[in-house]
Amino acid sequence: MNEAANPRQRLLRVLVTVGPGGLWLLLFVLLPTLLVLLASLMRRGPYGELLGPLGLHNYLRLLEAPYLEAFAQSLWVGALATLLAALLGYPLAFYIARHPRRDLLLLLLLIPFFTNFLIRVYAWLVLLQKEGLLNALLLAFGLGPYAFYPSFAAVILATVYTFLPFFVLPVYASVERVDWQLLEAAYDLGARPFRAFLHAVLPQTYPGLFAGSVLVFIPAMGTFVVADLLGAGRVVLIGNLIQQQFGLTRDWPFGAALSVFLMAFVLLALYLYRRLQGERGLEDLV
């Protein structure tokens, strides 16, 4: 009797522990994704309604020049933001990891997350506009005013600021695990500082570098708030196109196709990351 009840008890335990999370994922992740995929195969009606028959016509529109340009610009913004985040965040991660007050520095790095993302973007708008604080500071030195906003540079600046902690934290985690005895061994073998760092320390931080790059690149190319507020229409990313389709133009099928395309690109990036870094790299990313 007990042996027959054991499988049922195990099933009950699984349903109690895993069931709520699985139901949540089913209702709020899998089902909405399937609905978006279905909508991407439909047509827009005269009043914005979804009509059949199903087809790939929305995906074929992605090959048109304006959408290819928006995707290329999204890739450029993501790549440039990732590069600048790496140039700033990599040495910053080493500085924090080697500093005696690193707990305080980590807190300072994370403090912006206590403020709403939209408010932080608006703060950059106030700082960079013609009558903003930055131009007021330059005027005090007899310089300016300059048109920092709206511009591509303003979008990049705010994007790097927003996602810089996402790069620093994985690199910091890798630096914490660095075996510094390898650096000492490189010095003992006659290597100069740069060469010793290049061969003894840098390879040990690759997981953090890859993880930080993925965590910056993917959201940087897909976010639309920064480009919408600080670019003022001059910088159009794929996220802006999705926003327009679901809002202004009410072309939900094409907006859904853009969303599916962006999700597929993200999954491809994660797949390539897994192939390069393996399971250990995924742990660092999480």
Side-chain angles (χ1 to χ4, degrees), residues 38-82:
L38 178 62
S40 71
L41 300 173
M42 303 181 75
R43 296 180 182 273
R44 178 187 183 276
Y47 303 102
E49 69 272 23
L50 302 180
L51 301 176
L54 303 182
L56 298 176
H57 39 275
N58 292 311
Y59 293 97
L60 295 177
R61 286 180 60 187
L62 296 175
L63 301 177
E64 297 177 8
Y67 309 119
L68 290 178
E69 291 176 5
F71 181 66
Q73 190 165 52
S74 299
L75 290 176
W76 172 234
V77 168
L80 185 57
T82 303

mmCIF file of all heavy atoms in Angstrom, residues 38-82:
data_model
loop_
_atom_site.group_PDB
_atom_site.id
_atom_site.type_symbol
_atom_site.label_atom_id
_atom_site.label_comp_id
_atom_site.label_asym_id
_atom_site.label_seq_id
_atom_site.Cartn_x
_atom_site.Cartn_y
_atom_site.Cartn_z
ATOM 1 N N LEU A 38 1.121 33.811 -32.915
ATOM 2 C CA LEU A 38 -0.082 33.665 -33.735
ATOM 3 C C LEU A 38 -0.453 34.995 -34.375
ATOM 4 O O LEU A 38 -0.783 35.050 -35.574
ATOM 5 C CB LEU A 38 -1.232 33.150 -32.874
ATOM 6 C CG LEU A 38 -2.589 32.997 -33.573
ATOM 7 C CD1 LEU A 38 -2.493 31.969 -34.704
ATOM 8 C CD2 LEU A 38 -3.666 32.594 -32.574
ATOM 9 N N ALA A 39 -0.389 36.080 -33.604
ATOM 10 C CA ALA A 39 -0.742 37.398 -34.147
ATOM 11 C C ALA A 39 0.201 37.811 -35.269
ATOM 12 O O ALA A 39 -0.213 38.493 -36.216
ATOM 13 C CB ALA A 39 -0.712 38.444 -33.029
ATOM 14 N N SER A 40 1.475 37.396 -35.174
ATOM 15 C CA SER A 40 2.440 37.770 -36.203
ATOM 16 C C SER A 40 2.145 37.137 -37.551
ATOM 17 O O SER A 40 2.654 37.586 -38.582
ATOM 18 C CB SER A 40 3.853 37.388 -35.755
ATOM 19 O OG SER A 40 4.028 35.981 -35.768
ATOM 20 N N LEU A 41 1.313 36.102 -37.555
ATOM 21 C CA LEU A 41 0.968 35.413 -38.801
ATOM 22 C C LEU A 41 -0.351 35.900 -39.392
ATOM 23 O O LEU A 41 -0.779 35.398 -40.434
ATOM 24 C CB LEU A 41 0.883 33.906 -38.551
ATOM 25 C CG LEU A 41 2.170 33.230 -38.041
ATOM 26 C CD1 LEU A 41 1.905 31.777 -37.681
ATOM 27 C CD2 LEU A 41 3.277 33.331 -39.068
ATOM 28 N N MET A 42 -0.986 36.884 -38.735
ATOM 29 C CA MET A 42 -2.283 37.382 -39.190
ATOM 30 C C MET A 42 -2.122 38.706 -39.935
ATOM 31 O O MET A 42 -1.012 39.207 -40.109
ATOM 32 C CB MET A 42 -3.217 37.514 -37.986
ATOM 33 C CG MET A 42 -3.409 36.218 -37.203
ATOM 34 S SD MET A 42 -4.526 36.341 -35.794
ATOM 35 C CE MET A 42 -6.104 36.393 -36.646
ATOM 36 N N ARG A 43 -3.256 39.250 -40.351
ATOM 37 C CA ARG A 43 -3.258 40.515 -41.082
ATOM 38 C C ARG A 43 -3.980 41.589 -40.267
ATOM 39 O O ARG A 43 -4.828 41.296 -39.429
ATOM 40 C CB ARG A 43 -3.964 40.352 -42.435
ATOM 41 C CG ARG A 43 -3.262 39.403 -43.382
ATOM 42 C CD ARG A 43 -4.030 39.302 -44.695
ATOM 43 N NE ARG A 43 -3.405 38.352 -45.606
ATOM 44 C CZ ARG A 43 -2.435 38.649 -46.450
ATOM 45 N NH1 ARG A 43 -1.991 39.898 -46.517
ATOM 46 N NH2 ARG A 43 -1.915 37.734 -47.240
ATOM 47 N N ARG A 44 -3.612 42.850 -40.553
ATOM 48 C CA ARG A 44 -4.291 43.986 -39.921
ATOM 49 C C ARG A 44 -5.534 44.343 -40.706
ATOM 50 O O ARG A 44 -5.494 44.526 -41.919
ATOM 51 C CB ARG A 44 -3.346 45.182 -39.853
ATOM 52 C CG ARG A 44 -3.959 46.441 -39.253
ATOM 53 C CD ARG A 44 -2.999 47.613 -39.382
ATOM 54 N NE ARG A 44 -3.521 48.827 -38.766
ATOM 55 C CZ ARG A 44 -4.347 49.686 -39.342
ATOM 56 N NH1 ARG A 44 -4.766 49.452 -40.583
ATOM 57 N NH2 ARG A 44 -4.757 50.766 -38.703
ATOM 58 N N GLY A 45 -6.660 44.472 -39.975
ATOM 59 C CA GLY A 45 -7.904 44.881 -40.611
ATOM 60 C C GLY A 45 -7.975 46.385 -40.785
ATOM 61 O O GLY A 45 -7.093 47.131 -40.356
ATOM 62 N N PRO A 46 -9.053 46.870 -41.384
ATOM 63 C CA PRO A 46 -9.188 48.319 -41.624
ATOM 64 C C PRO A 46 -9.180 49.150 -40.343
ATOM 65 O O PRO A 46 -8.778 50.311 -40.362
ATOM 66 C CB PRO A 46 -10.543 48.428 -42.349
ATOM 67 C CG PRO A 46 -10.784 47.070 -42.911
ATOM 68 C CD PRO A 46 -10.152 46.105 -41.971
ATOM 69 N N TYR A 47 -9.630 48.571 -39.241
ATOM 70 C CA TYR A 47 -9.701 49.295 -37.978
ATOM 71 C C TYR A 47 -8.691 48.771 -36.955
ATOM 72 O O TYR A 47 -8.855 48.983 -35.759
ATOM 73 C CB TYR A 47 -11.114 49.209 -37.413
ATOM 74 C CG TYR A 47 -12.160 49.731 -38.363
ATOM 75 C CD1 TYR A 47 -12.940 48.853 -39.105
ATOM 76 C CD2 TYR A 47 -12.342 51.100 -38.543
ATOM 77 C CE1 TYR A 47 -13.895 49.328 -40.001
ATOM 78 C CE2 TYR A 47 -13.287 51.590 -39.438
ATOM 79 C CZ TYR A 47 -14.058 50.693 -40.157
ATOM 80 O OH TYR A 47 -14.995 51.162 -41.042
ATOM 81 N N GLY A 48 -7.681 48.077 -37.429
ATOM 82 C CA GLY A 48 -6.640 47.570 -36.544
ATOM 83 C C GLY A 48 -6.914 46.199 -35.988
ATOM 84 O O GLY A 48 -6.110 45.682 -35.197
ATOM 85 N N GLU A 49 -8.018 45.558 -36.378
ATOM 86 C CA GLU A 49 -8.330 44.228 -35.862
ATOM 87 C C GLU A 49 -7.461 43.179 -36.534
ATOM 88 O O GLU A 49 -6.851 43.416 -37.578
ATOM 89 C CB GLU A 49 -9.815 43.913 -36.064
ATOM 90 C CG GLU A 49 -10.237 43.725 -37.511
ATOM 91 C CD GLU A 49 -10.640 45.024 -38.194
ATOM 92 O OE1 GLU A 49 -10.207 46.089 -37.731
ATOM 93 O OE2 GLU A 49 -11.369 44.962 -39.194
ATOM 94 N N LEU A 50 -7.379 41.997 -35.914
ATOM 95 C CA LEU A 50 -6.588 40.892 -36.437
ATOM 96 C C LEU A 50 -7.453 40.026 -37.335
ATOM 97 O O LEU A 50 -8.538 39.588 -36.945
ATOM 98 C CB LEU A 50 -6.036 40.045 -35.280
ATOM 99 C CG LEU A 50 -5.156 40.784 -34.259
ATOM 100 C CD1 LEU A 50 -4.686 39.830 -33.180
ATOM 101 C CD2 LEU A 50 -3.965 41.430 -34.940
ATOM 102 N N LEU A 51 -6.981 39.793 -38.561
ATOM 103 C CA LEU A 51 -7.728 39.017 -39.539
ATOM 104 C C LEU A 51 -6.863 37.897 -40.105
ATOM 105 O O LEU A 51 -5.633 37.980 -40.109
ATOM 106 C CB LEU A 51 -8.210 39.916 -40.683
ATOM 107 C CG LEU A 51 -9.125 41.104 -40.312
ATOM 108 C CD1 LEU A 51 -9.414 41.936 -41.558
ATOM 109 C CD2 LEU A 51 -10.408 40.616 -39.673
ATOM 110 N N GLY A 52 -7.489 36.848 -40.596
ATOM 111 C CA GLY A 52 -6.802 35.781 -41.307
ATOM 112 C C GLY A 52 -6.775 36.094 -42.794
ATOM 113 O O GLY A 52 -7.262 37.140 -43.230
ATOM 114 N N PRO A 53 -6.224 35.191 -43.601
ATOM 115 C CA PRO A 53 -5.614 33.911 -43.216
ATOM 116 C C PRO A 53 -4.186 34.090 -42.705
ATOM 117 O O PRO A 53 -3.598 35.161 -42.833
ATOM 118 C CB PRO A 53 -5.627 33.126 -44.530
ATOM 119 C CG PRO A 53 -5.495 34.197 -45.579
ATOM 120 C CD PRO A 53 -6.228 35.396 -45.048
ATOM 121 N N LEU A 54 -3.662 33.002 -42.140
ATOM 122 C CA LEU A 54 -2.315 33.048 -41.606
ATOM 123 C C LEU A 54 -1.296 33.020 -42.744
ATOM 124 O O LEU A 54 -1.525 32.421 -43.798
ATOM 125 C CB LEU A 54 -2.075 31.868 -40.662
ATOM 126 C CG LEU A 54 -3.032 31.735 -39.474
ATOM 127 C CD1 LEU A 54 -2.624 30.544 -38.610
ATOM 128 C CD2 LEU A 54 -3.077 33.008 -38.649
ATOM 129 N N GLY A 55 -0.163 33.684 -42.521
ATOM 130 C CA GLY A 55 0.896 33.709 -43.531
ATOM 131 C C GLY A 55 2.149 34.369 -42.997
ATOM 132 O O GLY A 55 2.192 34.845 -41.855
ATOM 133 N N LEU A 56 3.180 34.415 -43.824
ATOM 134 C CA LEU A 56 4.472 34.985 -43.436
ATOM 135 C C LEU A 56 4.675 36.391 -43.995
ATOM 136 O O LEU A 56 5.806 36.880 -44.035
ATOM 137 C CB LEU A 56 5.605 34.073 -43.934
ATOM 138 C CG LEU A 56 5.628 32.656 -43.365
ATOM 139 C CD1 LEU A 56 6.749 31.837 -44.019
ATOM 140 C CD2 LEU A 56 5.817 32.680 -41.849
ATOM 141 N N HIS A 57 3.589 37.046 -44.400
ATOM 142 C CA HIS A 57 3.703 38.347 -45.059
ATOM 143 C C HIS A 57 4.333 39.400 -44.143
ATOM 144 O O HIS A 57 5.065 40.264 -44.614
ATOM 145 C CB HIS A 57 2.319 38.815 -45.518
ATOM 146 C CG HIS A 57 1.227 38.505 -44.545
ATOM 147 N ND1 HIS A 57 0.585 37.295 -44.525
ATOM 148 C CD2 HIS A 57 0.701 39.242 -43.538
ATOM 149 C CE1 HIS A 57 -0.325 37.303 -43.551
ATOM 150 N NE2 HIS A 57 -0.262 38.467 -42.932
ATOM 151 N N ASN A 58 4.048 39.344 -42.847
ATOM 152 C CA ASN A 58 4.630 40.329 -41.924
ATOM 153 C C ASN A 58 6.139 40.155 -41.797
ATOM 154 O O ASN A 58 6.880 41.132 -41.650
ATOM 155 C CB ASN A 58 3.979 40.207 -40.545
ATOM 156 C CG ASN A 58 2.527 40.646 -40.553
ATOM 157 O OD1 ASN A 58 2.193 41.715 -41.054
ATOM 158 N ND2 ASN A 58 1.649 39.815 -40.024
ATOM 159 N N TYR A 59 6.586 38.911 -41.850
ATOM 160 C CA TYR A 59 8.033 38.666 -41.768
ATOM 161 C C TYR A 59 8.742 39.095 -43.039
ATOM 162 O O TYR A 59 9.905 39.517 -42.995
ATOM 163 C CB TYR A 59 8.291 37.190 -41.474
ATOM 164 C CG TYR A 59 7.831 36.773 -40.101
ATOM 165 C CD1 TYR A 59 6.597 36.173 -39.914
ATOM 166 C CD2 TYR A 59 8.630 37.001 -38.978
ATOM 167 C CE1 TYR A 59 6.166 35.800 -38.650
ATOM 168 C CE2 TYR A 59 8.206 36.632 -37.712
ATOM 169 C CZ TYR A 59 6.967 36.033 -37.552
ATOM 170 O OH TYR A 59 6.547 35.679 -36.301
ATOM 171 N N LEU A 60 8.051 39.014 -44.174
ATOM 172 C CA LEU A 60 8.658 39.475 -45.420
ATOM 173 C C LEU A 60 8.838 40.991 -45.417
ATOM 174 O O LEU A 60 9.769 41.512 -46.038
ATOM 175 C CB LEU A 60 7.792 39.045 -46.609
ATOM 176 C CG LEU A 60 7.690 37.532 -46.845
ATOM 177 C CD1 LEU A 60 6.753 37.234 -48.005
ATOM 178 C CD2 LEU A 60 9.069 36.937 -47.111
ATOM 179 N N ARG A 61 7.978 41.706 -44.685
ATOM 180 C CA ARG A 61 8.113 43.164 -44.593
ATOM 181 C C ARG A 61 9.398 43.554 -43.851
ATOM 182 O O ARG A 61 9.896 44.669 -44.030
ATOM 183 C CB ARG A 61 6.908 43.756 -43.866
ATOM 184 C CG ARG A 61 5.632 43.774 -44.683
ATOM 185 C CD ARG A 61 4.489 44.377 -43.868
ATOM 186 N NE ARG A 61 4.766 45.748 -43.457
ATOM 187 C CZ ARG A 61 3.978 46.437 -42.632
ATOM 188 N NH1 ARG A 61 2.894 45.876 -42.138
ATOM 189 N NH2 ARG A 61 4.289 47.687 -42.301
ATOM 190 N N LEU A 62 9.919 42.649 -43.028
ATOM 191 C CA LEU A 62 11.146 42.954 -42.301
ATOM 192 C C LEU A 62 12.328 43.178 -43.231
ATOM 193 O O LEU A 62 13.335 43.761 -42.830
ATOM 194 C CB LEU A 62 11.475 41.820 -41.321
ATOM 195 C CG LEU A 62 10.475 41.566 -40.190
ATOM 196 C CD1 LEU A 62 10.882 40.351 -39.380
ATOM 197 C CD2 LEU A 62 10.373 42.788 -39.284
ATOM 198 N N LEU A 63 12.218 42.694 -44.471
ATOM 199 C CA LEU A 63 13.304 42.840 -45.433
ATOM 200 C C LEU A 63 13.291 44.191 -46.129
ATOM 201 O O LEU A 63 14.188 44.476 -46.925
ATOM 202 C CB LEU A 63 13.228 41.718 -46.477
ATOM 203 C CG LEU A 63 13.319 40.289 -45.921
ATOM 204 C CD1 LEU A 63 13.146 39.271 -47.040
ATOM 205 C CD2 LEU A 63 14.643 40.077 -45.208
ATOM 206 N N GLU A 64 12.286 45.010 -45.865
ATOM 207 C CA GLU A 64 12.229 46.338 -46.479
ATOM 208 C C GLU A 64 13.283 47.249 -45.868
ATOM 209 O O GLU A 64 13.669 47.101 -44.702
ATOM 210 C CB GLU A 64 10.827 46.931 -46.311
ATOM 211 C CG GLU A 64 9.751 46.121 -47.020
ATOM 212 C CD GLU A 64 8.354 46.682 -46.780
ATOM 213 O OE1 GLU A 64 8.262 47.782 -46.190
ATOM 214 O OE2 GLU A 64 7.374 46.023 -47.184
ATOM 215 N N ALA A 65 13.737 48.209 -46.650
ATOM 216 C CA ALA A 65 14.881 49.044 -46.269
ATOM 217 C C ALA A 65 14.718 49.766 -44.930
ATOM 218 O O ALA A 65 15.644 49.752 -44.108
ATOM 219 C CB ALA A 65 15.170 50.048 -47.388
ATOM 220 N N PRO A 66 13.573 50.415 -44.636
ATOM 221 C CA PRO A 66 13.485 51.146 -43.360
ATOM 222 C C PRO A 66 13.669 50.246 -42.137
ATOM 223 O O PRO A 66 14.284 50.666 -41.141
ATOM 224 C CB PRO A 66 12.080 51.747 -43.400
ATOM 225 C CG PRO A 66 11.718 51.789 -44.845
ATOM 226 C CD PRO A 66 12.371 50.593 -45.449
ATOM 227 N N TYR A 67 13.165 49.033 -42.209
ATOM 228 C CA TYR A 67 13.255 48.136 -41.054
ATOM 229 C C TYR A 67 14.643 47.523 -40.939
ATOM 230 O O TYR A 67 15.137 47.300 -39.837
ATOM 231 C CB TYR A 67 12.175 47.056 -41.165
ATOM 232 C CG TYR A 67 10.805 47.640 -41.404
ATOM 233 C CD1 TYR A 67 10.081 47.331 -42.553
ATOM 234 C CD2 TYR A 67 10.252 48.541 -40.502
ATOM 235 C CE1 TYR A 67 8.833 47.891 -42.788
ATOM 236 C CE2 TYR A 67 9.002 49.107 -40.729
ATOM 237 C CZ TYR A 67 8.300 48.775 -41.869
ATOM 238 O OH TYR A 67 7.077 49.349 -42.091
ATOM 239 N N LEU A 68 15.277 47.274 -42.085
ATOM 240 C CA LEU A 68 16.668 46.808 -42.043
ATOM 241 C C LEU A 68 17.578 47.898 -41.486
ATOM 242 O O LEU A 68 18.509 47.605 -40.723
ATOM 243 C CB LEU A 68 17.126 46.407 -43.446
ATOM 244 C CG LEU A 68 16.499 45.137 -44.032
ATOM 245 C CD1 LEU A 68 17.008 44.905 -45.456
ATOM 246 C CD2 LEU A 68 16.818 43.917 -43.169
ATOM 247 N N GLU A 69 17.304 49.154 -41.833
ATOM 248 C CA GLU A 69 18.100 50.257 -41.290
ATOM 249 C C GLU A 69 17.912 50.384 -39.784
ATOM 250 O O GLU A 69 18.872 50.631 -39.044
ATOM 251 C CB GLU A 69 17.703 51.558 -41.983
ATOM 252 C CG GLU A 69 18.124 51.634 -43.445
ATOM 253 C CD GLU A 69 17.620 52.897 -44.120
ATOM 254 O OE1 GLU A 69 17.021 53.748 -43.405
ATOM 255 O OE2 GLU A 69 17.810 53.043 -45.340
ATOM 256 N N ALA A 70 16.682 50.216 -39.314
ATOM 257 C CA ALA A 70 16.418 50.294 -37.871
ATOM 258 C C ALA A 70 17.122 49.155 -37.134
ATOM 259 O O ALA A 70 17.689 49.358 -36.050
ATOM 260 C CB ALA A 70 14.914 50.246 -37.604
ATOM 261 N N PHE A 71 17.114 47.968 -37.733
ATOM 262 C CA PHE A 71 17.795 46.844 -37.099
ATOM 263 C C PHE A 71 19.302 47.062 -37.086
ATOM 264 O O PHE A 71 19.973 46.783 -36.085
ATOM 265 C CB PHE A 71 17.455 45.552 -37.834
ATOM 266 C CG PHE A 71 18.095 44.331 -37.239
ATOM 267 C CD1 PHE A 71 17.740 43.890 -35.969
ATOM 268 C CD2 PHE A 71 19.059 43.623 -37.936
ATOM 269 C CE1 PHE A 71 18.332 42.773 -35.405
ATOM 270 C CE2 PHE A 71 19.655 42.502 -37.377
ATOM 271 C CZ PHE A 71 19.287 42.072 -36.117
ATOM 272 N N ALA A 72 19.840 47.587 -38.198
ATOM 273 C CA ALA A 72 21.278 47.870 -38.249
ATOM 274 C C ALA A 72 21.657 48.926 -37.221
ATOM 275 O O ALA A 72 22.699 48.822 -36.560
ATOM 276 C CB ALA A 72 21.669 48.317 -39.657
ATOM 277 N N GLN A 73 20.820 49.946 -37.071
ATOM 278 C CA GLN A 73 21.106 50.977 -36.076
ATOM 279 C C GLN A 73 21.002 50.411 -34.658
ATOM 280 O O GLN A 73 21.772 50.804 -33.773
ATOM 281 C CB GLN A 73 20.157 52.158 -36.241
ATOM 282 C CG GLN A 73 20.548 53.371 -35.404
ATOM 283 C CD GLN A 73 19.842 54.630 -35.849
ATOM 284 O OE1 GLN A 73 18.622 54.654 -35.966
ATOM 285 N NE2 GLN A 73 20.591 55.690 -36.102
ATOM 286 N N SER A 74 20.075 49.479 -34.440
ATOM 287 C CA SER A 74 19.970 48.829 -33.137
ATOM 288 C C SER A 74 21.239 48.043 -32.824
ATOM 289 O O SER A 74 21.754 48.095 -31.697
ATOM 290 C CB SER A 74 18.755 47.897 -33.111
ATOM 291 O OG SER A 74 17.558 48.601 -33.319
ATOM 292 N N LEU A 75 21.745 47.326 -33.828
ATOM 293 C CA LEU A 75 22.993 46.581 -33.640
ATOM 294 C C LEU A 75 24.149 47.538 -33.341
ATOM 295 O O LEU A 75 24.995 47.251 -32.476
ATOM 296 C CB LEU A 75 23.310 45.756 -34.881
ATOM 297 C CG LEU A 75 22.401 44.554 -35.166
ATOM 298 C CD1 LEU A 75 22.807 43.904 -36.484
ATOM 299 C CD2 LEU A 75 22.498 43.524 -34.042
ATOM 300 N N TRP A 76 24.184 48.673 -34.046
ATOM 301 C CA TRP A 76 25.255 49.636 -33.839
ATOM 302 C C TRP A 76 25.189 50.238 -32.439
ATOM 303 O O TRP A 76 26.211 50.353 -31.758
ATOM 304 C CB TRP A 76 25.171 50.711 -34.902
ATOM 305 C CG TRP A 76 26.088 51.882 -34.717
ATOM 306 C CD1 TRP A 76 25.730 53.196 -34.680
ATOM 307 C CD2 TRP A 76 27.512 51.861 -34.564
ATOM 308 N NE1 TRP A 76 26.827 53.995 -34.505
ATOM 309 C CE2 TRP A 76 27.946 53.206 -34.434
ATOM 310 C CE3 TRP A 76 28.458 50.856 -34.524
ATOM 311 C CZ2 TRP A 76 29.273 53.556 -34.254
ATOM 312 C CZ3 TRP A 76 29.796 51.192 -34.347
ATOM 313 C CH2 TRP A 76 30.195 52.526 -34.215
ATOM 314 N N VAL A 77 23.999 50.609 -31.995
ATOM 315 C CA VAL A 77 23.838 51.159 -30.646
ATOM 316 C C VAL A 77 24.223 50.124 -29.600
ATOM 317 O O VAL A 77 24.937 50.423 -28.628
ATOM 318 C CB VAL A 77 22.390 51.646 -30.426
ATOM 319 C CG1 VAL A 77 22.132 51.948 -28.956
ATOM 320 C CG2 VAL A 77 22.109 52.880 -31.264
ATOM 321 N N GLY A 78 23.772 48.876 -29.783
ATOM 322 C CA GLY A 78 24.111 47.823 -28.832
ATOM 323 C C GLY A 78 25.605 47.549 -28.784
ATOM 324 O O GLY A 78 26.182 47.412 -27.692
ATOM 325 N N ALA A 79 26.238 47.491 -29.963
ATOM 326 C CA ALA A 79 27.672 47.207 -30.006
ATOM 327 C C ALA A 79 28.487 48.357 -29.416
ATOM 328 O O ALA A 79 29.430 48.134 -28.649
ATOM 329 C CB ALA A 79 28.098 46.941 -31.449
ATOM 330 N N LEU A 80 28.123 49.602 -29.763
ATOM 331 C CA LEU A 80 28.864 50.752 -29.259
ATOM 332 C C LEU A 80 28.687 50.900 -27.745
ATOM 333 O O LEU A 80 29.655 51.178 -27.022
ATOM 334 C CB LEU A 80 28.402 52.018 -29.975
ATOM 335 C CG LEU A 80 29.169 53.306 -29.655
ATOM 336 C CD1 LEU A 80 30.655 53.132 -29.943
ATOM 337 C CD2 LEU A 80 28.596 54.483 -30.445
ATOM 338 N N ALA A 81 27.462 50.709 -27.263
ATOM 339 C CA ALA A 81 27.215 50.792 -25.818
ATOM 340 C C ALA A 81 27.978 49.700 -25.078
ATOM 341 O O ALA A 81 28.525 49.936 -23.987
ATOM 342 C CB ALA A 81 25.718 50.686 -25.544
ATOM 343 N N THR A 82 28.046 48.508 -25.660
ATOM 344 C CA THR A 82 28.780 47.406 -25.030
ATOM 345 C C THR A 82 30.270 47.706 -24.987
ATOM 346 O O THR A 82 30.940 47.451 -23.974
ATOM 347 C CB THR A 82 28.522 46.098 -25.785
ATOM 348 O OG1 THR A 82 27.109 45.839 -25.820
ATOM 349 C CG2 THR A 82 29.225 44.928 -25.117
#
